[in-house]
Amino acid sequence: ASLATGVQISNNSAVMSLNENDVRHIAHLARLAVPDAGLAAVAAKLTRIVGFVEALKAADTVGVVPMAHPLDA
């Protein structure tokens, strides 16, 4: 899949995949109620988010000045 930013997201096996037990644990820690019927969908969405974060970590940021706020540019 491609995002509006041009970052490519793939279903690469190297990306961490979350399962329903992971979602239960995360939901418990975050004090969120996730019904059993929705665990698989939430796991898939969180796995895609982790994949996106991995793609962002791969971006070359050498020479990019850190900003405290997006409007600092």
Side-chain angles (χ1 to χ4, degrees):
S2 178
L3 301 174
T5 59
V7 175
Q8 293 293 319
I9 303 298
S10 67
N11 291 331
N12 188 343
S13 61
V15 173
M16 181 194 336
S17 180
L18 298 171
N19 61 39
E20 292 181 8
N21 286 331
D22 295 326
V23 173
R24 280 187 190 98
H25 184 69
I26 293 167
H28 174 75
L29 293 173
R31 309 255 191 305
L32 297 173
V34 179
D36 286 343
L39 289 172
V42 172
K45 290 176 183 178
L46 288 175
T47 297
R48 287 190 46 84
I49 291 169
V50 170
F52 179 67
V53 170
E54 291 298 320
L56 289 176
K57 286 173 41 179
D60 181 17
T61 58
V62 174
V64 176
V65 179
M67 297 185 305
H69 191 277
L71 298 178
D72 286 348

